[in-house]
Every structure is written in C-alpha cells, then in structure tokens.
C-alpha cells in the first residue's frame, strides 16, 4: 500500500450520522439573549439550523464517545462478574458505574444513563433502575 492509498478521516461522513440511535440524548441549552424582541439560540450547519450542540457532527461525536465508553464498561463488567464482584448481581455491577460516570464530568447525566443502558443491552443484562430514562416529556 502506498502512502497515497492511506485515507485518514478527520470528519465523519454524512452517512455516519445515521448510526446515532434515536434514543441517544441531545443536549438542552437554555439561554437568553438581551433585547426587546424574542430570540432563539441556533447554530447553522450545512444550510440548516440546529440548537447549539445538536448539529449532526456534534451529536455523532458525542455518541461515538459514549458508545466507546459503553463497550469499555461492558468488558470491565464481564471481568468484574468473573472476578472480584462475582458475588454481585448484574444490575448491581452496572449500577455502580452510573455515579462514577457522572462524577467524571466526561459526559452529561443523561449520556451517563444512556451509556449504562447501552452497556446492559450489549451484555444482555437487566438495566438498573437508576439508568432508566426518567424524562417526563418522553413518558406516555
């Protein structure tokens, strides 16, 4: 393979954005802009307007980070279940990761809950109650 044959992607392609699942949390930014008329905080990307932090590349990047964390935690959970936490239930093992994720400030609280839910799906384990989506607007 020649040096010219190597392709390094620094930006995801439009087709990559479809990988982000519908249940992945979107950031909520409340803001106020002074003035007499009402204003809406928006950012423009590729000719369309989005809420701040919600452009396709931004959401894809956040999801990619969270997906990688979920896969890492999955591997660690399996090690824990076979080793020093063999006395704990699967829910208890996953439940310990939520406060740790939130404390790191690497992700938002909603993203941390999504990571724990995603880890449970990857492992086929039950989802801890604390990681369930408690957003009242999504409940029926």
């Amino acid at each position: 393979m020649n040096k010219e044959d190597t392709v390094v992607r620094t930006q995801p392609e439009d087709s990559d954005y479809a990988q982000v699942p519908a249940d992945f949390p979107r950031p909520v930014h409340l803001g106020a802009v002074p003035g007499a008329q009402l204003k809406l905080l928006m950012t423009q990307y590729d000719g369309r307007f989005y809420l701040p932090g919600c452009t396709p590349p931004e959401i894809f990047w956040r999801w990619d980070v969270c997906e990688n964390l979920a896969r890492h935690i999955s591997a660690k959970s399996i090690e824990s279940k076979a080793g020093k936490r063999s006395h704990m239930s699967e829910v208890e093992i996953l439940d310990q990761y939520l406060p740790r994720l939130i404390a790191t400030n690497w992700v938002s609280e909603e993203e941390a809950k999504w990571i724990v839910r995603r880890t449970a799906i990857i492992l086929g384990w039950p989802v801890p109650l604390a990681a369930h989506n408690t957003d009242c607007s999504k409940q029926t």
Side-chain angles (χ1 to χ4, degrees):
M1 186 187 302
N2 294 335
K3 189 175 181 180
E4 295 82 29
D5 294 336
T6 304
V7 177
V8 177
R9 287 187 355 181
T10 57
Q11 181 88 4
E13 296 179 9
D14 288 341
S15 61
D16 293 332
Y17 303 143
Q19 296 178 52
V20 180
D23 71 333
F24 185 73
R26 283 11 184 212
V28 176
H29 295 284
L30 302 175
V33 180
Q37 294 183 344
L38 294 176
K39 295 169 183 72
L40 183 61
L41 297 176
M42 302 292 280
T43 186
Q44 187 175 6
Y45 170 78
D46 202 22
R48 299 180 79 180
F49 291 95
Y50 298 88
L51 293 173
C54 292
T55 64
E58 291 168 321
I59 296 294
F60 178 83
W61 181 81
R62 296 297 312 160
W63 167 77
D64 192 45
V65 167
C66 292
E67 180 70 20
N68 287 333
L69 282 169
R71 294 196 180 279
H72 178 75
I73 292 170
S74 297
K76 288 296 185 185
S77 296
I78 290 170
E79 288 176 21
S80 291
K81 184 67 177 164
K84 64 182 177 182
R85 292 190 174 84
S86 60
H87 64 283
M88 295 173 70
S89 72
E90 295 165 343
V91 170
E92 290 172 324
I93 291 171
L94 291 179
D95 208 23
Q96 69 179 342
Y97 285 105
L98 184 59
R100 292 177 184 177
L101 276 170
I102 293 169
T104 64
N105 286 324
W106 293 342
V107 296
S108 69
E109 185 173 337
E110 287 305 311
E111 288 171 335
K113 290 177 181 181
W114 184 89
I115 291 167
V116 172
R117 289 192 305 268
R118 177 70 178 136
T119 301
I121 290 168
I122 291 168
L123 296 172
W125 291 4
V127 176
L129 187 59
H132 282 272
N133 191 349
T134 56
D135 183 1
C136 295
S137 66
K138 294 183 182 180
Q139 293 178 351
T140 55

